[in-house]
Amino acid sequence: MLTISRLVLSIIVVIMAAYGLITGNLESLPIIMALLGIQLCLTGIELLQKNKKSFLGYADIIIALFLFFVAIQGVMYS
């Protein structure tokens, strides 16, 4: 279930990022960062489920929280 969710989010992020690069539209950048944060959070949860003491799982969740923070600031200041 988590693998399918990560795959779908990856495809959505790649499509949105390609659209932003082609058109030069940077307004969707906070949304892309929030989706990347969700993807990293799912990856971290999956790693923690596989291995209880996984450093990468905790690192992914911390980086996801940072991406959420940056995405929220991007929305507030744009």
Side-chain angles (χ1 to χ4, degrees):
M1 180 68 178
L2 289 177
T3 307
I4 295 170
S5 301
R6 281 188 322 141
L7 181 65
V8 169
L9 279 173
S10 298
I11 292 170
I12 291 171
V13 167
V14 167
I15 289 171
M16 288 182 72
Y19 172 76
L21 282 173
I22 291 170
T23 62
N25 184 4
L26 298 178
E27 292 178 5
S28 63
L29 198 56
I31 297 169
I32 294 171
M33 283 192 279
L35 290 174
L36 280 173
I38 294 170
Q39 181 183 358
L40 274 175
C41 193
L42 290 175
T43 303
I45 291 170
E46 187 174 6
L47 286 173
L48 288 176
Q49 285 179 348
K50 287 181 183 177
N51 184 6
K52 297 293 182 193
K53 300 277 182 170
S54 176
F55 170 74
L56 290 177
Y58 292 118
D60 282 348
I61 292 174
I62 291 170
I63 294 169
L65 292 173
F66 176 73
L67 277 173
F68 289 138
F69 176 73
V70 171
I72 290 170
Q73 279 195 341
V75 168
M76 289 175 59
Y77 294 119
S78 64

